[in-house]
Each structure stands twice: as C-alpha cells, then as structure tokens.
Amino acid sequence: MSRILVAATPVTGHTGPLLRIAAHLVDLGHEVAFLGGARFAERAGAAGAVFHPLPPEADYDERDFDASFPARRSVPPGPARVAWDVMHVFGDPLPAQLRSLRQLLAEFPASAVIHDNLFLGGVALALSAPAADRPTVLSIGVSPLGVPSRDTAPHLLGLLPPVDEEERARYAVLAESLEERTRPVHAYLSGVFAAAGVRLPAGPSGRVRAESADHYLQLTVPGFEYPRTDLPANVSFVGALPLPAGRDPWQPEWWPALSWARAAGRRVVVVTQGTLANVDLTELTAPTVRALAERRDLLVVAATARPDGAQALHDALSDLQGLPTNAVATGYIPFDALLPFADLLVTNGGYGGVQAALGYGVPLVVAGETEDKPEVAARVEWSGTGVNLRTARPSAEQLSAAVDKVLDDPAFRERAHALRSELAEYDALSLIAELATGPGGA
C-alpha cells in the first residue's frame, strides 16, 4: 500500500472533489494525509484521512471572502476581480502551502501528492525538483480546462472555439492583447513563487500550471471540452467524480410530489445557485420560480443549499406572496437523490454541478458570469446540452423562453444523454488511484 498526500484549496468546490478522492484511496487501503482548510477537518476525518490544517496565512472561508480579503470588495466583478483572485486568493497562500507540504512530506514520506489545479503550492512543489527527486504530482482539474490553444478562444471570456481561420486570427490578436494586460499578474505570481524559492517558467499561466504536474487530470470527458491539437501530453480526461451518496435518509415532506409530478406527466425543473453564490437568491433562483409560476405542466424545485433558503426565497418572492403552487423550496438536498427526477437544471454554472447533471442526462439552462462560469456556460452551449443565457441576472422572460426551448427541443436531451453515456465509460476514482499508486506513483 502507498502513502499519499492530498492537498486542497480551502474552497468547497475544490475541497469536495479532493475529499472524495481521498476517501476512495483510504477504501483501497492506502495511508492518506489531507492538507486543507480547518473547517473541513471533520469531513476529512470521516473520509478516513489524517487531517492537517493549512496554516492561518493560507486558510480562509469562501463564505465570507470579505473577512479574509477586505480589499476584494472594491474590485469590480469580471476580469479585474479574476486577476485579483489569481494574485491574492490563490497566489498569496503559495509560500505557506509549499512550506506545509514539505513539512508534512518530512513526517509522512508520500509517494504521490494530489492537489486541485489552483492549489499553487502543489505547482511549486512540482517545479522545485526533478520528478526523480520528489513525489509524483497529480493536479486535478476541478474547473474548466484553462490550457491556451490555437484551437480555442482566450480562456475565461466565455467565447466558443474559432469556426474558421478569420476567427482564429482574431482570437490570436485578442490573446496577445490579454497577455499584455495580464503581464502584471504573471509578474506578481513570479514574485510569489520566487519568495518560496521556486522559479515560475515563462508562458501562459494556464499552460504552466498544467504542464508542471506529472499528470494533469481533468474531471470531465472529451465530449464536454474543446478539442485541442496542441494539448500537453500530460493532460488526460478521467471523467467526472461520482456524487457523494446522501447519508441522511430524511426526505422533505414535499418529496412525494416528485413522483406525483412524473405520474401526471408534469416535468420537473430544478434551479440552484450552488453552495457558494447563493447569498442573493434574487440573481437566479427567485427569477426562475417567478418565470415559471403557476404553470400546470411543471414542478419547480428550488434547491437553495442553505438552511434558511426556503424562508429567504419566500421573502424574495414577496410580490407573489410567497412560493407559487407549482414550486417547492429546500435547503440542502443531495443531488444524487434529486437529479434522477429532473427534466432540466437551471444553474449558475458551477463546474461540478453541471457535470453531475450531465451524469444523469439532464439538459441545462446556465446563467453565470463570474469566475469560470462563463467558460462552463460556453461549454454547455458548444456541447449542445443546454442554453447559455450569458448573464447572471436573467429576466423572467429570458428564463421562460430558455426553459421552453430546452424542454421542447429533444436535441438538448439527446445530447445530454450522449454525454451521460460518455461519462459512464470512465471511472475517475479508479483512474486517479491507478496513476497515484501505480508505477511512478507508488
């Protein structure tokens, strides 16, 4: 059996997948240490891993970024905030992350280190020594693949791949302009790496981060990612991670309505803003419920992923005097229980949630424009599995039209089913374990 060190950025969407990987490795009999945010200690212990907290200077709670990064609130959403996050949310913790990795490896000589793609301490570890002189490093792509390519548009703009040479040339000019504008970001990161005693290679950061790892493992399938003729050889698609099974047998009192709706020929529309961007339910959840209010052909399930979500949504719908009769609201509900009933998912574009929906063959309507969400939405559009609304605050009219478009055109469900079949061909956990513990990783 092997010793494996798993490290995660202290953000739910990054830590959750790494915890699932850790649990699988423990189930296989490997010794696993988990380096992550303090608030995930209990979950790491439940996974069977030995938990080690990140030092305070590398730990924070994404539910209240303002507390850890007060300057962030003055940066407008969009490219400026993305650049700020790269430098400060992900960049600044790097020296402390690397120091913790090295201290742990001195006590726990792991043969492999597995980290999420934005845990830059893992990137620095890989760059700090030849492969023969350090553990095998596996980087897990928990967000859309950001490796630049002549076959794609510049990353994070939410643009579809070029369709001809004219558009390819236009994208190349755009990429040069963006590279010039982001040069200060690369310079800042170079300084952070240097402070940790590691040289950051020149070149686009997305490619450098990917190529630094011995194995860069993207949590999706080729059918949901733009083809690249210049993809680095160390990048592999391993499929999506299975959803964690709901451990609580409790079901809300409205649960039988799902079966009743199906029996009555009504279609089920689930709407969610995920587990992080769900503070303001007036962005997507409330407008969706409002857009579909009182439609007899639909049952709308608002999955708010917050304990006070039902009441918060009721308050946001004061113009309707609360929830319409064709809608129900819940806090946290396991997606593995809910998605089998869904005919459509309306989402703000969280990468993991979209992969989960496609794993059940559920088509999508996506409304997101912060962080990497435009890239997720663009891939939904490109793959034919749903509609990209290109805004985080769609109107009721936009939502109603998009829902009808997806539900009425069988092509969307057919493409979602095709992705479900492709995802079913992969076993992400086994593939990751094999690379982490097989020849070169054991």
Side-chain angles (χ1 to χ4, degrees):
M1 294 292 104
S2 301
R3 288 180 173 178
I4 302 168
L5 173 55
V6 180
T9 303
V11 174
T12 302
H14 293 238
T15 299
L18 273 293
L19 283 171
R20 270 173 268 162
I21 292 168
H24 180 71
L25 292 167
V26 170
D27 288 344
L28 293 176
H30 302 294
E31 291 184 64
V32 179
F34 193 95
L35 177 64
R39 71 187 181 92
F40 298 103
E42 184 176 345
R43 290 177 59 185
V50 177
F51 179 76
H52 298 270
L54 285 164
E57 61 266 39
D59 197 3
Y60 48 84
D61 189 335
E62 91 268 22
R63 296 170 300 182
D64 187 7
F65 268 132
D66 289 348
S68 299
F69 307 101
R72 187 177 187 266
R73 73 185 74 176
S74 64
V75 182
R81 181 170 289 179
V82 170
W84 197 96
D85 287 350
V86 169
M87 291 188 291
H88 303 294
V89 175
F90 300 109
D92 287 347
L94 183 156
Q97 291 174 348
L98 180 59
R99 187 167 59 251
S100 294
L101 286 172
R102 286 173 168 165
Q103 290 171 350
L104 265 175
L105 288 169
E107 308 166 6
F108 182 79
S111 58
V113 172
I114 304 175
H115 66 89
D116 70 86
N117 58 309
L118 285 172
F119 189 92
L120 298 187
V123 175
L125 179 70
L127 292 171
S128 67
D133 299 332
R134 57 163 172 76
T136 299
V137 175
L138 291 79
S139 182
I140 307 299
V142 300
S143 55
L145 185 62
V147 178
S149 168
R150 69 183 300 272
D151 301 318
T152 67
H155 190 53
L156 294 178
L157 298 182
L159 299 173
L160 299 181
V163 296
D164 53 33
E165 289 304 316
E166 181 180 351
E167 192 166 49
R168 192 187 300 274
R170 182 166 63 84
Y171 282 173
V173 172
L174 180 58
E176 290 179 8
S177 173
L178 288 172
E179 184 177 353
E180 180 66 28
R181 286 159 50 190
T182 58
R183 192 160 291 164
V185 177
H186 192 276
Y188 186 90
L189 289 179
S190 294
V192 173
F193 273 81
V198 179
R199 186 183 71 84
L200 179 65
S205 61
R207 181 169 289 272
V208 170
R209 289 200 308 271
E211 291 184 331
S212 68
D214 299 297
H215 303 284
Y216 187 97
L217 308 176
Q218 187 65 31
L219 293 180
T220 192
V221 292
F224 193 70
E225 186 51 69
Y226 307 139
R228 292 168 171 83
T229 57
D230 51 1
L231 191 68
N234 67 318
V235 175
S236 301
F237 298 99
V238 295
L241 295 177
L243 287 173
R247 296 175 181 158
D248 191 344
W250 172 85
Q251 292 176 343
E253 61 181 12
W254 54 262
W255 193 256
L258 294 168
S259 298
W260 298 339
R262 280 295 183 85
R266 300 170 71 190
R267 289 180 285 190
V268 176
V269 176
V270 176
V271 57
T272 183
Q273 290 179 214
T275 57
L276 175 58
N278 59 1
V279 175
D280 183 3
L281 296 180
T282 67
E283 287 186 356
L284 180 60
T285 305
T288 300
V289 174
R290 186 179 291 109
L292 307 178
E294 308 302 345
R295 283 186 50 167
R296 294 179 175 272
D297 60 325
L298 301 177
L299 172 64
V300 182
V301 180
T304 67
R306 44 186 279 193
D308 64 339
Q311 183 60 53
L313 182 58
H314 183 280
D315 295 342
L317 295 169
S318 58
D319 55 317
L320 300 181
Q321 286 77 52
L323 281 175
T325 58
N326 71 330
V328 294
T330 184
Y332 172 77
I333 196 78
F335 257 22
D336 68 310
L338 182 57
L339 285 175
F341 291 95
D343 294 284
L344 171 67
L345 177 67
V346 180
T347 172
N348 64 343
Y351 194 65
V354 167
Q355 299 296 315
L358 294 175
Y360 285 92
V362 178
L364 304 118
V365 169
V366 186
E369 58 185 1
T370 58
E371 294 89 32
D372 59 4
K373 291 179 175 62
E375 288 294 326
V376 179
R379 283 158 173 77
V380 167
E381 179 182 353
W382 173 81
S383 64
T385 56
V387 168
N388 176 10
L389 290 177
R390 295 184 176 84
T391 177
R393 287 186 174 275
S395 66
E397 292 75 19
Q398 288 175 301
L399 284 162
S400 180
V403 167
D404 283 340
K405 182 176 181 178
V406 175
L407 290 179
D408 293 345
D409 186 345
F412 292 105
R413 179 162 290 276
E414 289 168 5
R415 283 298 302 147
H417 279 214
L419 265 291
R420 179 184 64 182
S421 297
E422 188 177 357
L423 284 160
E425 295 174 3
Y426 288 75
D427 183 346
L429 290 173
S430 294
L431 289 169
I432 294 169
E434 181 180 348
L435 290 170
T437 62

